[in-house]
Amino acid sequence: MSQFKINSITDKTGTSGPVIAGVSTNNSTGCMIIPAGPTEHRGGRGRMVTYGGADGSVYVNGMNVMDIATTGSAVDFGNSSKLSGFSSGMGSPTRGVFKQGRGAPSYTDTIEFVTFSSLGGVADFGIDRGSSQDSSASSSNGIRGIFGNGTSYDAKIQFITLASTGDSNEFGTLSSGRYQGGGSGGASPTRGFFFGGLVSGQPAGTKIIESVSFTSGGAATKFGELTVGRRAIAAVTNATRAVACSGDSPATNTMDYITMASEGNATDFGDITRQPAGYGAGGSNATRGLITGCSPDSKNSIDYITFSTTGNATDFGDTTYDSYLNGACSDSHGGLGE
């Protein structure tokens, strides 16, 4: 047992507290707040990682990390294993998992992960056993990650268990086969959402919003409709709202939102003027969402919104590489209840 009769405790650098292990008691006339919750939830959260993309017609393997609560340019986070774009990201409090989309010469079924608290780099996760495709919509609740409905137009949803490694398995289906176009998924702790998409042979994207239970899977059900039908949406969420940003077919700078606890149609949120044509992705914390990688081609813009208000997206900073067609995810999004 240890006794401390001092006013403050720090590590040897004086910049943070020490690690207290074993059984300890505290007898103080002041106040000592003991950290609560799982260790991986304590500090260091609020990060978003971008994954791959394209510089013009050339796919890239760059990755960046950014602190969502601040503004400023992103920082290099190493490289993915392959040159790829149109990838799909899913985040837990500790890991970001990416299902690769299209590389050279064609689709890639590789799944790999990053550790948010690390200095960067990837590790192998498994293989997607669904249809070979790119542009799948994806979401997660911290336990399961789900993705599906890209260029195969097969209406199928696959899942992975984020805390482990392994190949994907069948999870459920959407009501129709649609080219989602990348980041067009969002999540609450209980449901994954699929926004819009392009039905094969149709000239414009659909307005449909569908949701599926993370616990049971199966057939998705209609939640409501977007204000503008489109594909290639970058979706961001906190525990209350999901905001669908930008899009293509037709190209639009529209942002609209839903309240995830109650079914219904989306409502206008504002415009994203610097990224007006979709195919990007996003990440979020409890207060703001970040959007990267939307067209026009070969841009490195990062924009952000504040969930509690409506209005146009604001300049956040820049990625270190041209991140058009990137995948992205964060460690504190709405699917985690943050």
Side-chain angles (χ1 to χ4, degrees):
M1 180 179 294
S2 301
Q3 275 192 330
F4 299 104
K5 294 183 179 181
I6 50 182
N7 291 328
S8 63
I9 311 167
T10 70
D11 65 0
K12 64 183 180 181
T13 68
T15 59
S16 60
V19 175
I20 301 175
V23 178
S24 301
T25 61
N26 173 48
N27 182 9
S28 171
T29 58
C31 178
M32 180 176 180
I33 300 173
I34 306 298
T39 302
E40 66 267 22
H41 286 200
R42 301 178 196 166
R45 294 183 67 193
R47 285 182 141 193
M48 169 176 152
V49 172
T50 64
Y51 181 94
D55 179 358
S57 61
V58 179
Y59 295 117
V60 300
N61 64 350
M63 297 191 299
N64 275 184
V65 65
M66 56 214 75
D67 291 321
I68 299 170
T70 64
T71 56
S73 293
V75 176
D76 180 73
F77 200 67
N79 295 313
S80 62
S81 64
K82 299 178 182 178
L83 306 176
S84 64
F86 297 101
S87 298
S88 306
M90 298 153 279
S92 76
T94 57
R95 277 183 176 181
V97 182
F98 295 92
K99 185 271 177 192
Q100 291 183 349
R102 188 182 305 177
S106 187
Y107 305 125
T108 171
D109 300 322
T110 299
I111 306 173
E112 51 194 16
F113 72 93
V114 302
T115 301
F116 285 114
S117 61
S118 73
L119 298 178
V122 296
D124 180 64
F125 188 96
I127 297 294
D128 175 24
R129 296 301 180 183
S131 300
S132 291
Q133 61 182 323
D134 64 45
S135 301
S136 297
S138 57
S139 58
S140 62
N141 69 342
I143 299 171
R144 283 180 164 175
I146 63 174
F147 58 91
N149 232 19
T151 46
S152 71
Y153 295 93
D154 64 357
K156 293 182 179 179
I157 308 169
Q158 298 287 109
F159 86 94
I160 55 173
T161 302
L162 296 171
S164 62
T165 56
D167 298 345
S168 71
N169 293 284
E170 289 189 17
F171 183 77
T173 57
L174 296 179
S175 63
S176 63
R178 304 192 299 275
Y179 179 173
Q180 295 291 149
S184 50
S188 72
T190 57
R191 291 194 280 192
F193 293 85
F194 292 81
F195 295 97
L198 183 70
V199 176
S200 181
Q202 296 300 306
T206 178
K207 290 184 176 182
I208 194 169
I209 305 168
E210 292 188 281
S211 67
V212 63
S213 166
F214 280 115
T215 302
S216 61
T221 58
K222 185 174 181 179
F223 182 94
E225 293 188 345
L226 297 163
T227 62
V228 176
R230 60 204 195 270
R231 65 175 172 177
I233 290 164
V236 290
T237 65
N238 67 359
T240 305
R241 286 180 168 180
V243 184
C245 306
S246 192
D248 183 53
S249 299
T252 178
N253 64 5
T254 297
M255 299 189 296
D256 41 11
Y257 75 95
I258 58 170
T259 301
M260 293 183 288
S262 56
E263 294 182 359
N265 294 336
T267 302
D268 182 66
F269 190 92
D271 297 329
I272 179 166
T273 56
R274 297 200 311 157
Q275 299 186 65
Y279 292 102
S284 52
N285 64 12
T287 58
R288 59 165 58 162
L290 271 57
I291 304 97
T292 65
C294 292
S295 191
D297 299 8
S298 303
K299 297 296 182 182
N300 59 352
S301 300
I302 311 170
D303 292 296
Y304 77 93
I305 59 163
T306 302
F307 286 111
S308 61
T309 61
T310 56
N312 295 340
T314 303
D315 181 15
F316 181 93
D318 298 312
T319 54
T320 64
Y321 66 97
D322 290 337
S323 52
Y324 175 52
L325 304 178
N326 66 202
C329 63
S330 63
D331 62 4
S332 49
H333 59 84
L336 307 178
E338 297 302 322

